[in-house]
Amino acid sequence: MKKDNLKITIAGGGSTYTPGIIQAILNNIDKLPIGEIHLYDIDEKRNNDMFLIIDYMLKRENLTDITLKATLDPEEAFTESDFVFSQIRVGGMKMREKDEKIPLKYGLVGQETCGLGGFAYGLRSISGLLEVVGHVQTFAPHAWILNYTNPETIISEAIRRVYPKVRMLNACDMTISIEETIAFNYGYNRKNWISEYYGLNHFGWYTKIYDKSLERDVMPEIIEKLTTENMKVADFNAGDKSWQAAFNMMSVITKNFPTNIPNNYLEYYLYPDMVVEETDKEYTRANMVMEGREKNTREMAEKIRQGKTEDVLNFNFGEHGQYIVDMASSILNDEHQRFMLIVPNNGAIPNLRSDAVVEVPAYVGATGAEPISLRENICDFHKGLMEAQVAAEKLLVDAYFENSYQKALQAFTLNQTVPSARFAKLVLDEMIEANKGYWPELK
Ligand code: NAD
Ligand code: G6P
Ligand code: MN
């Protein structure tokens, strides 16, 4: 692998997360010496807006020797790429809004990656990511793809069925975000932690958090704190009501099941009724993001276009960008840093089917991910929950490749946010209409 003058391509260049990722690249240029950044998108306006913002960032840091291009042409975007960071959203926020609002009409969880909204997004997202991965195989077969595109488990399952040997890491920023929030609230330094965790994406549990400086497992004391006092959202999400609600639910889960620290996304599977009761069915997370992050990004580009560049980049990006940059650096420099990754199980969780896609810690080096196997079986409670979810996700991916309405209905019915096959069918039929042109035809 080349060691300098690297070319990085961002697939979904127009994403609102791109500035955060670029900022992290620029902060780590010694470990990830890049020469070229290509923004690849299918939406010219979004890609060009992002070009302006990133160009501004490069100039501000006097890094004008880095070549920046924005293109809709896959050949130009991917040829000779060393790393592809993927963060596409097929159908955009408008379709996310439908994923959230259609299930809610029937009293079911309406969410980006969980429940039936997540399944609807999955059936759209697979085609988009297969296309991106296909371009990479054609134009840069040796490139590493670092994927954030959701829904992660479904994407990973589908891509590996077509490209079993793909050089791709799938990662989610939620575990570091949870850890950052815990550390921020209770006065720890996350950098000292070695975390043990297992599950599926957005569906897992911590089993230990060993603090190297304190020389003890701090999970029991954190559980104690979580059960007595809700956490506040950390700086980078300050004032965000929906993240506050999610962290409040983490305390509810922990009070009832105090053996582990849960991933906050388990709220959708364990307490779907409570979540639905608290959700505004007319104004969901997609609306908040469109009127927040999305609007800010358009305004930022507009200000730069008009030459008003004072304090243009004024928001905090959290660790999302740093995490993916650390992964690239760990591959490039064979650092064997530890990350939570979404990988084929293959025995990592010994008593779970080996062909499941799981989320576990892994060391990352020049040859990719080396997942860490658990040394004991998981409990029946977690296993039962996970097995149903794995089967539902596999059925959904089968439905995609086999154009099978029946498999899609089985997947929707098995999803644990759904109490009745009647609702599964009502939502599926409405989703088929809403996703015309995005989903494969189901027969
Ligand atoms: P966004 O809509 O702001 O940006 C996505 C971009 O992808 C858009 O500019 C869009 O035009 C582009 N796009 C859509 N289809 C494409 C295709 N086929 N090829 C190339 N580009 C395409 O969305 P966002 O909020 O920035 O999120 C981007 C993605 O990152 C989503 O999938 C989201 O779920 C995911 N995400 C994942 C994590 C994680 O932890 N894994 C964290 C944050 C965001
Ligand atoms: C976390 C999750 C992502 C998810 C994102 C949604 O970062 O790990 O998988 O896409 O939250 O955030 P948003 O602000 O778009 O609702
Ligand atoms: Mn995630």
Side-chain angles (χ1 to χ4, degrees), residues 181-283:
T181 307
I182 291 174
F184 165 82
N185 274 274
Y186 304 137
Y188 295 98
N189 180 357
R190 184 181 77 77
K191 303 265 183 263
N192 294 330
W193 285 356
I194 303 173
S195 298
E196 293 185 9
Y197 176 94
Y198 65 77
L200 314 172
N201 183 231
H202 291 181
F203 198 113
W205 297 266
Y206 284 88
T207 52
K208 188 190 254 186
I209 298 181
Y210 183 76
D211 188 306
K212 287 184 279 185
S213 72
L214 300 172
E215 296 184 1
R216 63 170 189 263
D217 175 9
V218 292
M219 191 176 82
E221 60 203 70
I222 294 170
I223 289 178
E224 185 68 34
K225 288 172 179 145
L226 272 169
T227 57
T228 46
E229 193 191 334
N230 290 352
M231 291 195 292
K232 292 192 178 59
V233 284
D235 275 353
F236 59 95
N237 271 331
D240 190 321
K241 281 196 192 133
S242 44
W243 281 111
Q244 185 59 58
F247 289 125
N248 294 349
M249 282 303 288
M250 256 181 93
S251 282
V252 172
I253 301 173
T254 314
K255 269 180 209 152
N256 287 290
F257 304 100
T259 50
N260 301 83
I261 298 176
N263 190 303
N264 56 289
Y265 278 96
L266 282 166
E267 66 175 312
Y268 298 109
Y269 299 98
L270 298 176
Y271 299 97
D273 53 335
M274 277 175 76
V275 173
V276 170
E277 267 167 37
E278 280 160 27
T279 306
D280 181 343
K281 297 174 181 53
E282 307 300 323
Y283 191 82

Side-chain angles (χ1 to χ4, degrees), residues 144 168-170 331 341-343 362-372:
W144 275 97
M168 172 162 148
L169 300 185
N170 288 282
I331 293 174
L341 290 183
I342 297 144
V343 293
Y363 290 103
V364 172
T367 58
E370 295 174 288
I372 300 165

